[in-house]
Amino acid sequence: TQPAAVHALAAALNSVLGNIGKTVRYLPVSGDAAQSSAASITSLVSDIDGGRVSTLVVIGCNPVYDAPADLIFAEKYAKVAHRIHLGAGDETAMASTMHLTRSHYLESWSDVTEWDGTFGVVQPMIQPLFASKGELEFLATIAGENDTDPYTIVRDTLRAKVGMVGFENKWRRILHDGLSPAAGAATMPTANMQGIASAVGSLAESAKANDGVELVFLASPHVHDGRAANNGWMQELPHAVTKVSWDNPALASPATMKRLGFSVERHPKTPEYNHAVMATITHGGKSVDMPLWPQPGMAEGTVAVHLGYGRRVCGRIGAGTGFDAYPVRSSGAMRIASGVSVAPAADKAPCLVATTQDHWTMEGRDILREIDLPAWQRFGDEDIMGNDEVQKDPYDRTRNLNFAGRLGMESHTPANVDIYKRKQKQAQSLRFTEEDENGQPLVDAKGNIVPISNKYGKRIQQWGMSIDLTTCSGCGACTVACQAENNIPIVGKKELAKGRELHWMRVDRYYGTAATSEVEKNTLGVGGDKDITSDPDMVVMPVTCVHCENAPCEVVCPVNATVHDEQGMNDMAYNRCIGTRYCSNNCPYKVRRFNFFDYGTKQFRGNFAGKETIESLPKIMQPPSEYFVPPRLRQKKLEVATMQNNPHVTVRSRGMMEKCTYCIQRVNMARVETKVADLSHIPDGFMQTACEQACPTNSIVFGDIYDHDANEGKGSRVKQKRNDGRSYQLLSFLNTRPRTTHMVRLRNPNPSLADAARRARWEHPFHHGAHTDTKAQGHVMSLPILSVASGVPA
C-alpha cells in the first residue's frame, strides 16, 4: 500500500542486509500481472467514451461500486449496449443487462497459476447450492468451446503442461498436493542506491509541501474491498486495533482531531453508548460524510479510512452497513491522497459506533505480563528454590514462583492454602489426580503427577490450554473459528453496543508505553479527552473461559447447570440453565455470555408480521430493535442458513448462559476414534480445538496436561508450555486454578535505542525486590517495561 519509492527503499535495505535470496526473493513479473489496475480501467473508460465497446463482460468484480471516483464508471458503464456480469448480486449486477450468479470457488473446478509458474487445482467440495456458473464454464461458453465442462478443461490444461506420459498419476498427485512445483526462478536484482535516495527525497519534499491532511485508504481486514460485506461473522468481529464492529469510522490521532476542530469525546449526546462526531472528508472535488474516531498511535496529520463498507446492493447483512469511502478515491490516489480537507459535518448528528473495548473489564487487576528479552534471557531459567525472600509469603509460608510468577501479583499475595481435610476435600470437589493419605498428589518414579483412572483402569485425561502472548497478533481468527464451530450467532450493532455480544473468545487490547514503564488507561474509552501518549505501545491478549478447577461460577448456580467433569472441564448443561446469571456475576474473568434473544432461530434483519405498519409509526413508538418483536412473529431462518450450523453442537435458545467448552464435541469424536483404534488414550496432537486449529501463529496449544510420555518423553505440548518459566495463571492469586494458562509476552528492543533506565531494568526486572528492600521498583500495576497491563481494555 506504499508508494513505489518506499518499496524501493525497502529493497535497498534488504540488499544491504544480505536478505535477497535468503529471506526475500523477487520474481519476474510480466504481462497482465505487471499492469496497473488503475491504468487498465482508465483505458477501458477511454474506449467506452470513444464508442469502441459494444459488449462488456465483467467477471467476479464490482467496478460500479469500487472503481476510482474520477472515472465516473457507473455512468460510463450505462453507455455500453450489452453489459454481462458474472458474480454476486451486487451494484454492478443491478447495472447490467444480463447477470449470471457465479459459483463459489468451492463449488466448481478451477485452476490457478502463480507468478513463479506454480500451477494449482481448485477442487469443489460441494455441489452448487443455487443455480450458478463457474468462470471456466462461463468463459468456455462465450468463447464457443465445444466442451464447457470445467473438470475436463482443468484436466486438459494440466495435460498440456505435463504431457500424456503418466498423466493419471500426475493428476492424482496434484489433487493430493494441491499444486505443482514452482517453474520460475527467483531473480537477484541490484539496488540503485542513488536513484532510490533521489526518489525518497522527492517523496519527502512533496510531503513537506502538503499542508493539508493525508488520507490513507486501507482494505478492511474483515470485509476486504467489500466482497465479504454480507458475512455477519466478519462484520461483528471487532477490529484488532480499534475494537469497532459493524462500522468503518475514519481514524485519526487525538491530537490531529483537536487540530481539525473535533472533540475526542465519545459520548456527545447519549451517555450510555459510544458515539462519534461526523466529519466531511473532501478530495478531488468529491466528499463523503463519515464518523471520525480517535485512534492513539496514528501519525499526525493522517486520516485512515477502511474500504468495503457502505454497500447499497449486497444482501440483508451488508447493505447499508458502514460508510462508503470510494467516492473520494481517485485513480491517481489509489492508496494515499494528499491535500485532503477534513471538517465537522454540518447538521449531522453523532453516529453510534459499536465498540467492544470497554466490555468485560476485570477491575484493574494483574492481567497481561510483558518483559524485555534481555531480562528473560538472564532470569528466565533462574533456580529460585530456597530463596526465602522470594519463596516466603508475608505469613512465612513457602511457595514456588517461576519467572512469570515473580513478575506478577503472586509475589505480593499470600500463598494459597487448602482449608479442607482430605475426606472433606474429596466430598467438596472432584479429584483429578491420585492422592496419598494426606491428600497430596501421587507421583511416579520420574516425579510426574499420576492422574486418576476410570473403572477400567484407563487414565482419565486432564485437558488444558496454553496461549503464548509473544506470538499472538490479535488477528481474531480464533474468535471466528470458535463462532463457526460452536454455532454462536451474531447479535447486530445495537445489541453489541450494549455489551451483549456472544463471542466465547475475546481478544483484549491494551495501550502502554515502555518509555515510562507504565501501563496507561485510555481515558478516551470513558468519555475523557486525554491522549494517552503520542506513540503508545499496543498489546493484545486472548481471553476465554479458563476452566477453573476451583470455579467460582459453580458454587453459585442454583440449578447445577455449570459443573465440573472428571476431565477437569467446566461444563454447561444448557437444558438446566434458567438464566439467573449468578455465574456471570461471580466469574472474575468475565467470559460468560448470556443469550438475550432468539438469535439462533430467527432471521437477522428479517421480516416480521406487521412490519410495514410498525415502520410507519413515529420512531419513538417503534421497538428499539427487531429482537423486541415477539419471536413467534419474526421470520424463521431459511433452510440454507441453518446449513452453516455444526450438527455436533446444539443451537442455544434465549435465556441461557454459554461459554467456551474446550470444543468438547471434538474431544468426544477423538475419543471414539481412538477407542475404535484400541488406543489407551487420545494421543497428543490427535485433535485440536477450533481456535487452536485456526491460529496462524500457533499461539494456542491444547492437550492433556498430565500426558508425560508424549513427544519422546518430553510430555505433551501443553504440559511443556505450562512448565515453561513464562507460563502463568490469570488471576491465580484468587486460587481458581485455571486450566488455561498464558505465557509472558517478550519484547526484543534494539539495545542501542533503549534508554539507560530501560537497560537498567534488564538487570532488575522484578518490581518488588526483596520484601525488606526500600528501593522497590514500583507497584504491581506499573511493572517495568509494561510487565502487567490493567484489566480495563483500553
Side-chain angles (χ1 to χ4, degrees), residues 373-385 401-404 406 720 723-727 743 746 765-766:
L373 181 61
W376 161 253
Q377 290 173 331
R378 177 165 182 175
F379 297 100
D381 296 328
E382 184 180 72
D383 184 5
I384 58 175
M385 296 299 294
L401 295 180
N402 63 358
F403 177 83
R406 297 172 72 187
Q720 296 178 51
N723 290 341
D724 191 282
R726 290 194 294 125
S727 183
M743 301 184 73
L746 298 180
F766 306 112

Side-chain angles (χ1 to χ4, degrees), residues 420-436:
Y420 296 107
K421 299 293 184 182
R422 181 171 182 271
K423 292 183 178 179
Q424 292 174 324
K425 179 182 177 183
Q426 292 183 8
Q428 290 287 333
S429 61
L430 289 171
R431 288 187 302 120
F432 305 117
T433 59
E434 297 294 344
E435 298 176 350
D436 59 18

Side-chain angles (χ1 to χ4, degrees), residues 161-174:
K161 288 179 175 291
V162 302
M164 291 294 298
V165 179
F167 171 74
E168 287 300 328
N169 289 336
K170 295 175 181 177
W171 168 254
R172 290 180 178 274
R173 170 53 60 185
I174 197 171

